[in-house]
């Protein structure tokens, strides 16, 4: 059983090549494709933007090409409960969630690991660009950035636990996208020329508001745009349409120049606007802290931190303030620190851990 592994196969080129690489290394491999939602879970008319059925067919075809068993698991009920419902609740609370982080913890490296184990595959591989390894001196499992930083996906894997990392293999961590496509084409895999998917899988057209209204069955009433002094500047279209740092689609002009969303306040259904300078903060508080190389921090730690997927890590000090809470102080103020998004900590290529941003502070 020690060389038996399941591969999460999305139908894309990355997971297809991950399966091929493991076969080359002599692993007894099976492909597993997840059905995460049904067409009726998406707003009417949005289903055609989602290629889930075609992707599942492509995954099955690649598994057949590789000569490995293929399973399709329907985890849509679990996905709705663990990912879609919290996604909606976070937006309603005025925060901007990252559902991929939640899905990785609860579904791909949670429910899927459990199901693969039942099928006789105790280990799981995915097509993520990151590296997982065991530190011989401490015995802990570590998460590291991909060798090629332009594709690195460690930012969305920060919440993985030691128990999960112990059973995870990431075969693509040292390869470039060009190398992956080249392997897929050389092997004639049906996924070789597929485009990468960019959007959240259950919001394929990027219209979060339409998804939220469909998913919750609720309408989100208009309310006031306020300036930072509380003066009414205009009327917003419902708080689910806005996120911190947003400038487009506000429809409000001001003598101060360009306005940006500073705060989304569900308690009084208000959206606070201000200038760009007001978006910069040095300090944030965070919850759901997960540390990877250690169990806890006994003293403040210098780290490199990022508050968005597409940003360069910035020097900061990480301080653990409770069992799963933290305070992060950056050397330089950072723009649009957004409640609900992830802050992820690095020491070089090593992922120290991460947390969910709770609040940006002025000091």
């Amino acid at each position: 059983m020690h060389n038996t592994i399941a591969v999460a196969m999305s139908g894309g080129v990355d997971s297809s090549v991950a399966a091929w690489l493991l076969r080359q290394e002599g692993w007894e491999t099976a492909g597993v494709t997840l059905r995460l939602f049904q067409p009726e879970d998406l707003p009417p008319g949005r289903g055609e933007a989602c290629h889930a059925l075609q992707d599942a067919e492509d995954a099955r075809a690649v598994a057949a090409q590789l000569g490995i068993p293929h399973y399709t698991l329907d985890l849509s009920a679990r996905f709705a409960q663990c990912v879609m419902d919290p996604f909606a609740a976070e937006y309603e609370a005025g925060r901007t969630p990252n559902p991929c982080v939640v899905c990785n913890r609860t579904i791909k490296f949670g429910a899927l690991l459990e199901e693969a184990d039942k099928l006789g595959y105790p280990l799981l591989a995915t097509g993520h660009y990151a590296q997982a390894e065991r530190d011989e001196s401490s015995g802990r499992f570590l998460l590291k950035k991909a060798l090629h930083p332009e594709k690195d996906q460690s930012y969305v894997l920060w919440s993985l636990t030691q128990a999960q990392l112990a059973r995870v293999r990431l075969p693509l961590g040292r390869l470039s996208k060009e190398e992956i496509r080249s392997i897929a084409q050389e092997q004639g895999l049906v996924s070789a020329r597929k485009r990468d998917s960019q959007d959240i899988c259950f919001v394929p057209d990027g219209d979060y508001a339409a998804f939220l209204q469909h998913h919750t069955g609720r309408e989100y009433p208009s309310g006031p745009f306020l300036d930072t002094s509380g003066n009414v500047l205009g009327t917003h279209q419902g708080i689910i349409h806005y996120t911190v740092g947003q400038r487009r689609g506000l429809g409000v002009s001001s003598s101060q120049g360009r306005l940006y969303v500073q705060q989304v306040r569900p308690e009084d259904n208000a959206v606070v606007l201000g200038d760009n300078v007001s978006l910069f903060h040095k300090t944030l508080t965070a919850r759901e802290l997960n540390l990877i190389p250690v169990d806890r921090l006994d003293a403040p730690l210098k780290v490199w931190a990022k508050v968005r997927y597409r940003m360069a890590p910035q020097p900061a000090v990480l301080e653990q303030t409770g069992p799963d809470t933290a305070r992060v102080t950056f050397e330089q103020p950072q723009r649009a620190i957004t409640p609900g998004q992830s802050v992820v900590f690095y020491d070089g290529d090593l992922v120290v851990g991460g947390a969910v941003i709770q609040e940006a502070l002025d000091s």
Side-chain angles (χ1 to χ4, degrees):
M1 294 292 286
H2 66 281
N3 68 337
T4 308
I5 193 164
V7 184
M9 295 183 71
S10 65
V13 66
D14 294 330
S15 56
S16 299
V17 171
W20 181 84
L21 287 167
L22 290 164
R23 288 288 283 154
Q24 293 302 108
E25 291 175 16
W27 290 86
E28 187 182 317
T29 310
V32 183
T33 300
L34 301 181
R35 183 176 296 133
L36 296 178
F37 45 85
Q38 309 294 346
E40 60 269 22
D41 292 333
L42 304 183
R46 306 299 165 105
E48 28 322 336
C50 172
H51 306 124
L53 291 175
Q54 182 60 52
D55 291 342
E57 283 301 315
D58 291 344
R60 190 175 295 111
V62 170
Q65 282 182 280
L66 297 178
I68 63 175
H70 180 268
Y71 303 89
T72 300
L73 298 178
D74 186 347
L75 294 180
S76 53
R78 187 96 166 251
F79 186 78
Q81 176 192 2
C82 295
V83 181
M84 289 179 169
D85 292 349
F87 179 81
E90 284 284 275
Y91 262 103
E92 291 179 338
R95 296 186 284 267
T96 306
N98 189 324
C100 299
V101 169
V102 179
C103 178
N104 283 331
R105 183 179 68 239
T106 61
I107 304 296
K108 288 181 183 165
F109 300 94
L112 174 53
L113 259 176
E114 295 167 21
E115 296 300 322
D117 207 17
K118 291 178 193 171
L119 292 168
Y121 297 91
L123 300 177
L124 176 69
T126 73
H128 285 98
Y129 287 83
Q131 301 182 75
E133 60 187 54
R134 186 171 184 269
D135 177 26
E136 295 303 327
S137 58
S138 68
R140 289 183 74 88
F141 293 89
L142 306 179
L143 179 66
K144 294 185 174 180
K145 290 181 188 175
L147 187 63
H148 298 271
E150 68 280 359
K151 293 301 292 182
D152 175 55
Q153 292 175 299
S154 60
Y155 177 85
V156 294
L157 299 175
W158 65 261
S159 65
L160 299 190
T161 64
Q162 286 293 299
Q164 290 169 327
L165 285 168
R167 295 173 56 194
V168 166
R169 301 293 181 270
L170 303 173
L172 307 189
R174 303 190 68 79
L175 297 174
S176 69
K177 188 71 183 197
E178 294 71 31
E179 289 171 301
I180 299 293
R181 287 226 181 262
S182 174
I183 290 170
Q185 286 167 6
E186 284 168 15
Q187 300 306 315
L189 302 181
V190 297
S191 55
R193 298 184 189 283
K194 281 182 77 167
R195 289 191 312 126
D196 293 347
S197 57
Q198 302 291 345
D199 299 308
I200 292 170
C201 64
F202 58 91
V203 193
D205 59 357
D207 189 342
Y208 301 142
F211 168 78
L212 290 163
Q213 287 167 325
H214 176 75
H215 184 74
T216 64
R218 288 194 274 276
E219 291 296 320
Y220 296 92
S222 58
F225 277 130
L226 306 177
D227 68 14
T228 49
S229 302
N231 301 306
V232 177
L233 298 174
T235 303
H236 69 68
Q237 303 302 305
I239 62 168
I240 61 166
H241 292 271
Y242 305 97
T243 184
V244 171
Q246 180 177 332
R247 180 172 73 84
R248 292 183 179 174
L250 301 182
V252 176
S253 57
S254 163
S255 56
Q256 304 169 18
R258 287 180 174 172
L259 293 174
Y260 301 82
V261 174
Q262 309 285 325
Q263 196 182 6
V264 180
R265 291 204 314 231
E267 60 270 21
D268 57 356
N269 195 34
V271 175
V272 180
L273 306 179
D275 61 14
N276 191 51
V277 174
S278 306
L279 284 173
F280 285 81
H281 297 87
K282 280 185 75 168
T283 303
L284 64 85
T285 58
R287 55 192 165 87
E288 297 178 38
L289 175 68
N290 181 57
L291 298 169
I292 295 176
V294 293
D295 275 331
R296 60 165 296 114
L297 294 179
D298 297 319
L301 181 68
K302 286 188 173 181
V303 293
W304 293 80
K306 53 197 275 185
V307 294
R308 274 183 301 285
Y309 186 64
R310 299 264 174 236
M311 74 174 272
Q314 303 295 313
V317 173
L318 166 63
E319 192 176 353
Q320 186 166 352
T321 54
D324 67 345
T325 58
R327 182 183 180 97
V328 183
T329 306
F330 288 91
E331 275 187 17
Q332 300 295 326
Q334 301 300 309
R335 186 182 185 277
I337 294 173
T338 305
Q341 289 285 294
S342 292
V343 55
V344 182
F345 319 114
Y346 295 90
D347 175 6
D349 287 339
L350 178 69
V351 181
V352 175
V356 177
I357 297 167
Q358 196 159 10
E359 187 181 9
L361 303 174
D362 287 326
S363 59

